[in-house]
Amino acid sequence: MRIVLLGAPGSGKGTQSKLLIEKYKIPQISTGDLLRAAVVAGSDLGRKAKSAMDAGQLVSDDVVLGMIQERLSKPDARAGFILDGFPRNIPQAQALDAMLARLSQPLQLALLVDVDTEVLMKRITGRRTCSNAACGAIYNIYFSAPKAPGKCDKCGSILAHRSDDNENTVRSRLQVYEQQTAPLVSYYKAQGKLRTVRGTGSVNEIFKNVTDIIEVQMRPLAAAMSAAQAAAAKSAPPKPAKPAKAPAKAAAKPAAKPAAKKPAAKKPAAKKPAPKKKPAPKPKKKAVKKAAPKKAKKAAPKKKSAPKAKKKK
Ligand SMILES: [Zn+2]
């Protein structure tokens, strides 16, 4: 599965991503992690990224895409990946599509975890964390309040409220997200790859919906795509299973009959070569498709009446 995850801060997409990683054994590719790792490793891309960051600039899309491409070449990404936090805009989405097309690994799903803004506001601004680092219990004054206000149920320590979780900061963060993501939603919708899952309810309920989307909607598509690729690889003419099967069956019958008459011939041997030998009927079929040869064929058995029919016309 090759998935891009879309969702606001507080949407819970990180939790869903972790569950997807476990279930489908595919890695999450986080551009932040890639950047840090590349800088530490001192690779070409890492040095480019570092010089940009040292200069207080954004790392260019080319560098980020190069890192993603490198990451995709690792064995654990063969079965797919989850991209989170990238792309953030249309040019990045287009560049990603172009890169994945070169690798013949196009995205299969853009999954949006959708949560109403007011719920997001409460999720983030209501968050309280136990100040005792050894405990670290997390509460939410709206959804999972501690029994005593401001005190940890488990250890009695004071609950802390992150300063950047205040209402104004969060609202502007969500606005930035909305501005960035809305065009991406349209972009993937136009490609037919967008699916939306409601990000409210229990984690398991949401994950059930996520896996339903993947199993029901994406798996058959993936199977069809790989079947089409296999068919294309087998025979140079891209006409797949159906036209090939029909002549094969027709050919099998006459081939089997002589085999039965001659006990010396082995039946399986007779059957197997017969279907394979039949590229010949293909031109016939093509001819049948055209209207004119059809009439000619129908007319052929009735040789004597055929001229009459033509005269009538
Ligand atoms: Zn505590």
Side-chain angles (χ1 to χ4, degrees), residues 32-54:
D33 292 347
L34 289 181
L35 280 170
R36 280 186 288 276
V39 169
V40 170
S43 67
D44 272 4
L45 291 169
R47 272 180 276 129
K48 281 181 190 169
K50 190 171 187 300
S51 63
M53 288 188 287
D54 287 348

Side-chain angles (χ1 to χ4, degrees), residues 38-231:
V39 169
V40 170
S43 67
D44 272 4
L45 291 169
R47 272 180 276 129
K48 281 181 190 169
K50 190 171 187 300
S51 63
M53 288 188 287
D54 287 348
Q57 293 165 341
L58 286 173
V59 179
S60 75
D61 290 353
D62 285 347
V63 170
V64 174
L65 279 163
M67 288 175 182
I68 293 172
Q69 184 167 349
E70 271 184 11
R71 181 66 186 82
L72 294 183
S73 69
K74 292 189 179 166
D76 67 335
R78 250 176 233 154
F81 55 82
I82 302 165
L83 261 179
D84 186 9
F86 190 93
R88 288 196 190 274
N89 55 47
I90 298 288
Q92 287 180 350
Q94 288 170 329
L96 176 68
D97 274 350
M99 187 260 278
L100 293 175
R102 284 197 300 275
L103 300 177
S104 302
Q105 292 181 14
L107 283 178
Q108 292 164 301
L109 172 65
L111 185 67
L112 171 65
V113 182
D114 191 33
V115 181
D116 291 342
T117 303
E118 288 317 304
V119 175
L120 291 174
M121 287 296 300
K122 285 184 173 179
R123 280 188 185 177
I124 302 173
T125 61
R127 200 151 53 190
R128 301 290 184 273
T129 312
C130 177
S131 56
N132 172 8
C135 170
I138 297 168
Y139 301 86
N140 186 295
I141 57 168
Y142 302 106
F143 304 116
S144 54
K147 284 169 192 159
K151 263 193 178 180
C152 180
D153 291 352
K154 289 177 186 166
C155 71
S157 302
I158 293 168
L159 297 181
H161 184 198
R162 266 173 53 177
S163 58
D164 57 351
D165 282 352
N166 75 68
E167 180 147 350
N168 286 336
T169 313
V170 173
R171 206 169 279 282
S172 68
R173 240 154 72 198
L174 291 179
Q175 274 167 0
V176 168
Y177 162 80
E178 192 59 41
Q179 283 161 4
Q180 282 179 341
T181 308
L184 288 177
V185 167
S186 306
Y187 179 83
Y188 289 120
K189 200 180 224 171
Q191 292 188 346
K193 290 178 181 170
L194 183 81
R195 300 289 183 277
T196 302
V197 67
R198 296 289 305 158
T200 45
S202 77
V203 166
N204 287 338
E205 280 167 4
I206 299 166
F207 190 58
K208 171 77 169 56
N209 293 333
V210 168
T211 54
D212 279 355
I213 286 171
I214 290 171
E215 302 287 339
V216 177
Q217 303 194 42
M218 304 312 297
R219 273 280 163 82
L221 181 68
M225 279 168 74
S226 60
Q229 279 172 355

